[in-house]
C-alpha cells in the first residue's frame, strides 16, 4: 500500500485560538532576528493573533531549556519555539552546548506534555547560519518552518 502525500502537510491549520511563546537567545543577533521575524510572519499567516505571540529574550542557547519551561509557566502558552544559533568555533564549547540544549528540549516536551519546536541552528559556519536564516539570496528562512510546525503540533494533538 502506497502512502499518499508523504512529506506534504495533511490539512489546513488555523491558529486563531492558540498562544505561542517565542524565546530567543541574543547571541548572533542578525541571524536570530531574521529567524524570529520568519516565525512571527508564518504564525500570522496561519491566523495566530499578534496578542497571542509572546516574545522573550535570554542571554544564550544554553538557557533555552530553562527559559522554555518558564514561558509555559508564566504565560500559559500552548507551544514554545526556542530559537538560538550555535556556530562551531575552535573549542569543544559548540558540541557541549548543542548536546545539552538538544537533549533538554527533547526531554522537556515529555515532562510538560507540550510541544516544543526545536528552533536552534547548529551550524559549522556563519555562512550556513545566514543561509538558514534566509539572509543570503535564494535561501529559505527556517523560522517560517518553525512557526508552521508550532501551529500544526498544537492543533493536531489537542
Amino acid at each position: 500500500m502506497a502512502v499518499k502525500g508523504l512529506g506534504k502537510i495533511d490539512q489546513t491549520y488555523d491558529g486563531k485560538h492558540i498562544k505561542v511563546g517565542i524565546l530567543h537567545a541574543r547571541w548572533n543577533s542578525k541571524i536570530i532576528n531574521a529567524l524570529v521575524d520568519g516565525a512571527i510572519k508564518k504564525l500570522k499567516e496561519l491566523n495566530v493573533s499578534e496578542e497571542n505571540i509572546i516574545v522573550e529574550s535570554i542571554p544564550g542557547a544554553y538557557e533555552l531549556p530553562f527559559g522554555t519551561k518558564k514561558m509555559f509557566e508564566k504565560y500559559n502558552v500552548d507551544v514554545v519555539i526556542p530559537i538560538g544559533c550555535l556556530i562551531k568555533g575552535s573549542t569543544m564549547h559548540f558540541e557541549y552546548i548543542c548536546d545539552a540544549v538538544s537533549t533538554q528540549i527533547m526531554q522537556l516536551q515529555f515532562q510538560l506534555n507540550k510541544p516544543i519546536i526545536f528552533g536552534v541552528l547548529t551550524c559549522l559556519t556563519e555562512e550556513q547560519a545566514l543561509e538558514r536564516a534566509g539572509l543570503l539570496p535564494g535561501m529559505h528562512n527556517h523560522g517560517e518552518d518553525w512557526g508552521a510546525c508550532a501551529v500544526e503540533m498544537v492543533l493536531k494533538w489537542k
Side-chain angles (χ1 to χ4, degrees):
M1 175 182 202
V3 178
K4 293 183 179 181
L6 190 61
K8 296 188 189 286
I9 194 163
D10 59 349
Q11 63 186 8
T12 302
Y13 292 98
D14 184 351
K16 67 182 171 188
H17 298 296
I18 69 169
K19 193 172 180 182
V20 179
I22 296 176
L23 181 68
H24 67 84
R26 291 190 292 268
W27 283 94
N28 300 305
S29 62
K30 178 179 179 181
I31 293 159
I32 295 295
N33 290 343
L35 294 166
V36 170
D37 289 346
I40 291 171
K41 174 184 175 231
K42 183 57 74 174
L43 290 168
K44 288 180 179 180
E45 287 174 9
L46 294 170
N47 296 324
V48 178
S49 64
E50 195 163 332
E51 57 270 2
N52 280 341
I53 302 171
I54 295 105
V55 179
E56 291 276 2
S57 73
I58 53 170
Y62 192 77
E63 292 76 31
L64 287 170
F66 182 79
T68 295
K69 182 177 187 289
K70 291 302 183 180
M71 279 206 84
F72 280 111
E73 293 172 1
K74 182 176 181 178
Y75 297 110
N76 194 31
V77 293
D78 297 301
V79 59
V80 173
I81 308 170
I83 297 178
C85 177
L86 296 160
I87 301 172
K88 185 160 177 56
S90 59
T91 69
M92 293 296 294
H93 180 4
F94 172 81
E95 285 82 359
Y96 292 128
I97 301 301
C98 288
D99 182 58
V101 171
S102 301
T103 299
Q104 288 305 308
I105 287 174
M106 177 58 74
Q107 290 177 355
L108 192 56
Q109 288 187 101
F110 294 102
Q111 291 168 5
L112 300 175
N113 200 31
K114 297 270 190 172
I116 301 170
I117 310 310
F118 190 72
V120 181
L121 295 182
T122 55
C123 300
L124 299 177
T125 66
E126 184 176 357
E127 183 177 8
Q128 289 176 343
L130 292 167
E131 289 172 352
R132 284 153 183 79
L135 293 171
L136 295 182
M139 300 308 293
H140 174 71
N141 184 327
H142 286 236
E144 293 180 30
D145 299 330
W146 303 333
C149 184
V151 172
E152 180 176 348
M153 288 300 290
V154 170
L155 296 176
K156 184 174 274 190
W157 305 112
K158 266 194 168 190

